[in-house]
Amino acid sequence: MRKKIVAGNWKMNMTPKEAVGLVNKLRDKLAGSDVEVVFCVPAIDIIPVVEAVKDTDIKVGAENMHYEEKGAFTGEISPGMLVDSGVSYVILGHSERRQYFGEDDDCINRKVRKAIEYGITPIICCGETIQQREEGITLDFIKKQINAAFTQVLPDDAADCVIAYEPIWAIGTGRVATSKQAQEVCEAIRCNIRELYGDDVATKVRILYGGSVNASNAKELFEQPDIDGGLVGGASLRPDFCDIVKYEGA
Ligand code: PGA
């Protein structure tokens, strides 16, 4: 049985003080859930958030990472820095990184491999534009992104990775994919992983849906057979994040 994950993606929101305030507000309400909860937070919030969740099961993730270990990369954060700060997950290949910071499939693959080397679980994002969906090339495009992200990743490591399917047209728009659309793509991603690594890895790998997830649509999405939880942007900054985590009672 795959354990569900609900990961918040705070994006560029929350100063360190605000971050601690939010975590303190949510922390107790999140206790006692069977779902794995991850707060993916801006780099500067990592240390205070790790401290604020230290007596809980909540995990902390980063939103990005460089693939080099150290050196002259002004402004970047290395995998070793993340590990040393208590990070267990890192979002890689988010469409905002691809779109605004020019990250391509090769760069994302390097980051995935480096995160694995450091024992950080990558949350590998993929997703199509509205044009690609309308042209009917969604599944082909996502296959290309997944194949690239997993290049040279070994089967045991692949099984521990998390994939997030996030249609770009659903991110921050309030226009959520239907559970049928989301399931169709997540199923195709699992088939793709099966082709690459076989049944065992495909059964283990966790696939999330992201894009306008909220407390009223989480249950239907997360109950789809190939959807193992969600990557939540806007709603992760609000108290209804707790209702998303507790979707089973919704
Ligand atoms: P959203 O963002 O939930 O605000 O649509 C999701 C994401 O970008 O991960």
Side-chain angles (χ1 to χ4, degrees):
M1 237 328 237
R2 295 184 292 269
K3 188 169 178 158
K4 297 265 195 234
I5 304 184
V6 175
N9 173 11
W10 287 8
K11 309 195 179 188
M12 197 174 73
N13 294 293
M14 298 281 136
T15 66
K17 274 194 201 118
E18 289 167 345
V20 171
L22 179 65
V23 172
N24 286 344
K25 220 187 278 170
L26 301 182
R27 199 178 40 196
D28 295 342
K29 296 200 192 104
L30 292 169
S33 151
D34 292 338
V35 170
E36 193 169 337
V37 178
V38 187
F39 290 134
C40 297
V41 305
I44 200 154
D45 296 340
I46 289 172
I47 290 175
V49 169
V50 166
E51 175 65 22
V53 300
K54 74 172 186 288
D55 297 323
T56 74
D57 293 333
I58 299 167
K59 309 256 174 54
V60 179
E63 298 177 13
N64 183 32
M65 182 198 89
H66 201 282
Y67 52 75
E68 293 289 350
E69 299 188 351
K70 61 163 97 166
F73 301 100
T74 302
E76 289 292 328
I77 307 282
S78 76
M81 292 170 190
L82 295 184
V83 171
D84 197 38
S85 308
V87 157
S88 21
Y89 286 87
V90 60
I91 299 174
L92 296 177
H94 191 281
S95 62
E96 288 151 17
R97 299 289 324 166
R98 295 181 193 253
Q99 184 183 348
Y100 303 129
F101 302 97
E103 293 192 11
D104 61 12
D105 282 340
D106 177 59
C107 159
I108 292 155
N109 173 246
R110 287 182 192 216
K111 292 184 178 197
V112 167
R113 285 185 283 141
K114 196 49 94 176
I116 291 168
E117 190 183 318
Y118 275 77
I120 306 170
T121 303
I123 301 175
I124 302 165
C125 301
C126 60
E128 81 287 4
T129 62
I130 192 65
Q131 290 82 1
Q132 289 167 324
R133 176 158 283 269
E134 282 166 1
E135 284 169 33
I137 58 169
T138 297
L139 297 185
D140 290 340
F141 178 71
I142 286 177
K143 188 168 191 163
K144 195 177 129 278
Q145 287 186 318
I146 294 292
N147 287 346
F150 281 89
T151 301
Q152 289 180 47
V153 173
L154 298 172
D156 282 352
D157 295 327
D160 291 334
C161 288
V162 175
I163 298 168
Y165 166 54
E166 299 204 302
I168 295 172
W169 47 272
I171 295 178
T173 57
R175 186 182 164 195
V176 65
T178 64
S179 52
K180 191 162 168 277
Q181 287 171 322
Q183 163 59 22
E184 184 196 20
V185 179
C186 292
E187 184 182 2
I189 293 171
R190 201 175 300 285
C191 283
N192 192 174
I193 295 293
R194 190 173 291 114
E195 278 166 29
L196 293 173
Y197 296 107
D199 212 33
D200 196 36
V201 174
T203 308
K204 281 190 188 142
V205 77
R206 290 183 291 178
I207 305 175
L208 314 182
Y209 167 79
S212 298
V213 173
N214 61 36
S216 30
N217 58 35
K219 185 173 162 72
E220 194 184 333
L221 287 161
F222 299 175
E223 284 181 346
Q224 299 303 310
D226 287 294
I227 300 182
D228 304 311
L231 182 57
V232 184
S236 70
L237 300 167
R238 299 193 294 266
D240 56 340
F241 185 65
C242 301
D243 301 323
I244 299 175
V245 169
K246 304 213 159 163
Y247 70 96
E248 280 174 309

